[in-house]
Amino acid sequence: MSSVQIRNVSKSYAQTSIIKDITVDIPDGEFVILVGPSGCGKSTLLRMIAGLEDITAGEIEIGNNVINDVAPKARDIAMVFQNYALYPHMTIRENMEFALSLKKVPKPQIDTKVMRAAEILGLKDLLTRYPRQLSGGQRQRVAMGRAIVRDPKVFLFDEPLSNLDAKLRVQMRAEIKALHQRLKTTTVYVTHDQVEAMTMADRIVVMRSGVVEQTGTPLELYDDPVNIFVAQFIGSPAMNVLEGEIKDGAFETSDGIRLAMPASNAVDGQKISYGIRPEHIRLSDQGVAGTIHVVEPTGASTEVIVQAGAQQIALTAHERLISRPGQQVRLAIDTAKVCLFDADGLRLRG
């Protein structure tokens, strides 16, 4: 196991800048997830760690050794891809043995490593099969097993669950997290799915347009976002954000909705954004008046979208609601949970 240091790293293609002066320190044994929308540079950064992309500027260290000019096969990393990348003409055992065979590892040692990985991943009864005979989840476990047998310093995962159905994704999330807790190998994982990031990561790096917007634990990002982008990207359903300004000590939208303010350093006349998560809003007999637009029961909770003036406000109720579209309601907001943002989208503090 080893730490990974990404220091002032940039990547450009001709005149196009993809990664812009990123610095991230990943301690030994940590599970870090790079998350962000498509095109933000997260997969490019992962491929730079793997040596599959050249670094335009900066340094990447693994275990305190700069690896900018080290060949991918000499970096002692193992990468799991989105499309499994299994050899179709080889059995599962042969797929898992392949990298070790190339390194001339003694056969008894290979057998020991393969059987250990197969036992961890529940593959012992599948070793004689071929990839075409396996389900998507089983193939992804084989790809993970092929990485495990190498006993690398760092695991790299590039959106490994995106080809699986919803139920399998949930199952594999738990399996990968349990695997990390067992092996304690430093892991860098890329996804665009913030639910994956929230449920699996020790720490999340939120990226946008080639830069890091914020780094922190899942709950740090959820409870204390530094800007509107992080606030709305982390959390499902997304945070409600209303545009308006401060008038007579309250927040007011252009269509006249007035909401109480939390303590802040904002001043009257200042244009701000008012953010509140859906679970911090409830139906009440007082508060903002609106009309129910959509009701989405999910079983454990109910998602409701309310039309209040020109604004659509989402709330999450954990009790069963007897509500219907068109119903007149009022919304009570937990002011202590409100996040305020300035005109540039940056968090305003109390």
Side-chain angles (χ1 to χ4, degrees):
M1 296 187 292
S2 293
S3 60
V4 177
Q5 285 85 38
I6 302 165
R7 294 182 177 162
N8 305 113
V9 166
S10 298
K11 174 67 176 178
S12 299
Y13 297 103
Q15 302 302 312
T16 304
S17 181
I18 306 299
I19 300 291
K20 306 166 186 175
D21 196 28
I22 282 181
T23 295
V24 178
D25 287 330
I26 302 171
D28 184 11
E30 191 171 61
F31 193 121
V32 167
I33 292 187
L34 310 178
V35 69
S38 296
C40 71
K42 56 189 184 294
S43 288
T44 300
L45 184 57
L46 192 78
R47 290 171 64 84
M48 291 163 75
I49 297 171
L52 303 178
E53 295 278 358
D54 293 332
I55 300 169
T56 303
E59 290 184 343
I60 296 179
E61 294 183 4
I62 295 178
N64 298 317
N65 296 314
V66 177
I67 48 88
N68 289 36
D69 299 319
V70 176
K73 65 181 181 180
R75 296 190 179 197
D76 200 6
I77 56 94
M79 192 162 181
V80 179
F81 295 92
Q82 175 181 344
N83 62 357
Y84 320 134
L86 303 178
Y87 297 109
H89 63 289
M90 294 183 180
T91 65
I92 302 313
R93 178 187 289 275
E94 290 167 342
N95 265 280
M96 293 173 66
E97 291 176 344
F98 186 66
L100 299 181
S101 298
L102 288 179
K103 290 184 175 182
K104 308 296 185 184
V105 175
K107 187 67 167 63
Q109 192 174 340
I110 292 177
D111 290 342
T112 299
K113 287 177 174 287
V114 168
M115 290 308 296
R116 172 176 172 266
E119 186 173 348
I120 290 172
L121 296 167
L123 297 171
K124 289 179 68 176
D125 296 334
L126 304 176
L127 293 176
T128 58
R129 297 189 188 182
Y130 290 88
R132 64 179 178 274
Q133 297 173 303
L134 304 186
S135 69
Q138 289 169 331
R139 292 181 199 179
Q140 195 56 278
R141 279 200 291 272
V142 174
M144 290 163 55
R146 193 172 56 184
I148 290 171
V149 298
R150 297 175 60 184
D151 195 19
K153 291 180 179 177
V154 180
F155 283 131
L156 304 178
F157 288 85
D158 191 5
E159 304 207 38
L161 308 185
S162 58
N163 286 340
L164 304 181
D165 63 40
K167 185 176 180 180
L168 261 180
R169 282 202 302 273
V170 173
Q171 178 185 336
M172 289 299 297
R173 284 204 312 252
E175 289 186 13
I176 292 173
K177 185 63 176 177
L179 178 66
H180 177 260
Q181 290 169 348
R182 181 169 181 171
L183 300 179
K184 306 295 185 185
T185 305
T186 307
T187 300
V188 186
Y189 185 110
V190 161
T191 182
H192 64 274
D193 185 338
Q194 57 88 24
V195 174
E196 269 183 43
M198 289 289 291
T199 54
M200 296 173 68
D202 295 326
R203 214 156 40 102
I204 298 173
V205 178
V206 182
M207 295 178 62
R208 176 174 60 162
S209 301
V211 301
V212 173
E213 294 286 342
Q214 187 174 356
T215 299
T217 67
L219 292 182
E220 284 172 350
L221 299 185
Y222 190 84
D223 293 335
D224 194 20
V226 298
N227 57 33
I228 287 179
F229 175 79
V230 175
Q232 292 196 294
F233 192 84
I234 298 295
S236 181
M239 177 183 283
N240 297 286
V241 177
L242 309 180
E243 306 295 333
E245 64 179 289
I246 301 173
K247 290 186 177 179
D248 300 323
F251 171 80
E252 187 171 312
T253 65
S254 59
D255 52 349
I257 294 174
R258 283 181 66 84
L259 298 170
M261 289 275 292
S264 78
N265 55 9
V267 297
D268 264 16
Q270 183 176 353
K271 293 194 178 299
I272 63 169
S273 299
Y274 189 100
I276 184 71
R277 294 204 179 275
E279 66 270 26
H280 299 145
I281 305 173
R282 60 183 176 83
L283 299 180
S284 177
D285 56 2
Q286 57 185 348
V288 178
T291 304
I292 292 180
H293 180 58
V294 175
V295 178
E296 298 178 334
T298 65
S301 61
T302 304
E303 314 294 342
V304 181
I305 299 176
V306 175
Q307 190 75 41
Q311 315 291 331
Q312 284 196 345
I313 301 174
L315 68 93
T316 299
H318 293 291
E319 68 274 15
R320 299 291 174 93
L321 295 180
I322 309 301
S323 303
R324 64 187 185 280
Q327 182 178 342
Q328 302 297 306
V329 294
R330 287 188 175 272
L331 303 178
I333 290 174
D334 184 350
T335 307
K337 302 294 187 180
V338 169
C339 295
L340 302 179
F341 305 93
D342 66 18
D344 296 319
L346 300 178
R347 181 81 176 272
L348 288 168
R349 303 295 178 177

